[in-house]
């Protein structure tokens, strides 16, 4: 396996996508105070940029889920490793995710959060590997579709490595 990251999406293109997503979210949540729930750890860089572009009085929380071991493919079983600190009943909740692959993680989280009766529940994902979905997923706000390759950078890791890269890159 070559671990030399190859450029996929530049920092500039990421910034433009984040600004576009923020504009759509701002328009849709005008007059509301949404709770953004990031999925740890991969979403933290995206979340940090997104909330500053939003210019809305948002609140932020994080959940930690696991489905991966140290490999590059999902185990298929999703668990909550660290739950929410905020009650979400009656809140406008927006999930913030770095990458949707099989869709198992976000679909599990959608079901889990829906049971807690939020006023609304939507999904914002920076990247999506559409060709790999194994369950139906609706991404309300999407940055980029990416190929069926392992991507890293901009918070997204491979075995905790490469999160610091400013661009989104591919490793084979
Ligand atoms: P899913 O449950 O298969 O949709 O996987 C989603 C999670 O797997 C994401 O939140 C990522 O943490 C991780 N993941 C999926 N594909 C990649 C990738 O290409 N690079 C890094 N992490 C990935
Ligand atoms: Mg993730």
């Amino acid at each position: 396996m070559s671990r030399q990251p190859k450029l996929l999406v530049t920092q500039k293109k990421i910034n433009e996508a984040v600004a576009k997503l923020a504009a759509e979210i701002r328009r849709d949540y005008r007059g509301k105070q949404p709770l953004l729930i990031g999925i740890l750890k991969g979403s933290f860089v995206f979340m940090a940029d997104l909330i500053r572009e939003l210019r809305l009085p948002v609140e932020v929380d994080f959940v930690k889920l696991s489905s991966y071991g140290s490999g590059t493919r999902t185990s298929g079983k999703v668990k909550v490793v660290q739950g929410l600190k905020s009650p979400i009943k009656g809140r406008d909740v927006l999930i913030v995710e770095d990458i949707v692959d099989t869709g198992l993680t976000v679909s599990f989280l959608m079901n889990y959060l829906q049971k807690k009766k939020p006023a609304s529940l939507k999904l914002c994902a920076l990247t999506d590997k559409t060709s790999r979905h194994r369950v139906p997923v609706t991404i309300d706000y999407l940055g980029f579709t990416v190929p069926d390759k392992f991507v890293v950078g901009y918070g997204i890791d491979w075995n905790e490595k490469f999160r610091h890269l400013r661009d989104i890159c591919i490793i084979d």
Side-chain angles (χ1 to χ4, degrees):
M1 186 189 258
S2 139
R3 306 270 155 74
Q4 193 56 46
K6 295 190 199 83
L7 179 64
L8 181 65
V9 187
T10 61
Q11 184 184 2
K12 181 163 178 285
K13 289 275 178 231
I14 297 170
N15 292 346
E16 286 165 9
V18 171
K20 184 183 133 271
L21 291 173
E24 289 171 20
I25 295 167
R26 188 184 316 122
R27 182 198 62 207
D28 294 351
Y29 288 84
R30 198 167 296 276
K32 297 183 172 161
Q33 209 172 108
L35 173 64
L36 273 54
I37 299 182
I39 307 181
L40 290 172
K41 299 177 208 172
S43 69
F44 82 101
V45 176
F46 177 38
M47 176 73 96
D49 283 347
L50 186 66
I51 62 168
R52 285 176 295 177
E53 280 295 328
L54 271 175
R55 284 170 271 123
L56 269 183
V58 297
E59 289 174 33
V60 171
D61 203 344
F62 289 95
V63 285
K64 189 160 194 226
L65 304 177
S66 77
S67 68
Y68 277 69
S70 58
T72 56
R73 292 299 189 201
T74 183
S75 69
K77 283 195 215 99
V78 185
K79 284 191 309 201
V80 179
V81 175
Q82 182 195 302
L84 290 173
K85 301 282 182 277
S86 0
I88 66 161
K89 192 167 181 206
R91 298 296 308 266
D92 292 298
V93 172
L94 179 61
I95 297 172
V96 176
E97 175 63 315
D98 53 354
I99 180 158
V100 177
D101 182 18
T102 62
L104 290 165
T105 301
V106 284
S107 102
F108 167 86
L109 186 62
M110 289 290 237
N111 287 330
Y112 175 83
L113 296 179
Q114 200 69 65
K115 293 192 190 118
K116 299 179 187 287
K117 307 232 182 322
S120 67
L121 181 60
K122 294 213 265 182
L123 171 64
C124 173
L126 181 66
T127 63
D128 179 35
K129 292 187 200 167
T130 319
S131 64
R132 298 224 341 123
H133 289 190
R134 272 162 54 186
V135 286
V137 190
T138 304
I139 303 178
D140 302 282
Y141 307 97
L142 174 65
F144 304 97
T145 297
V146 294
D148 180 10
K149 296 275 162 58
F150 205 79
V151 304
V152 294
Y154 195 69
I156 305 170
D157 75 308
W158 172 76
N159 277 354
E160 296 303 325
K161 295 186 179 67
F162 307 116
R163 287 193 204 276
H164 62 287
L165 300 178
R166 287 166 175 256
D167 307 309
I168 295 175
C169 299
I170 289 176
I171 52 169
D172 347 279

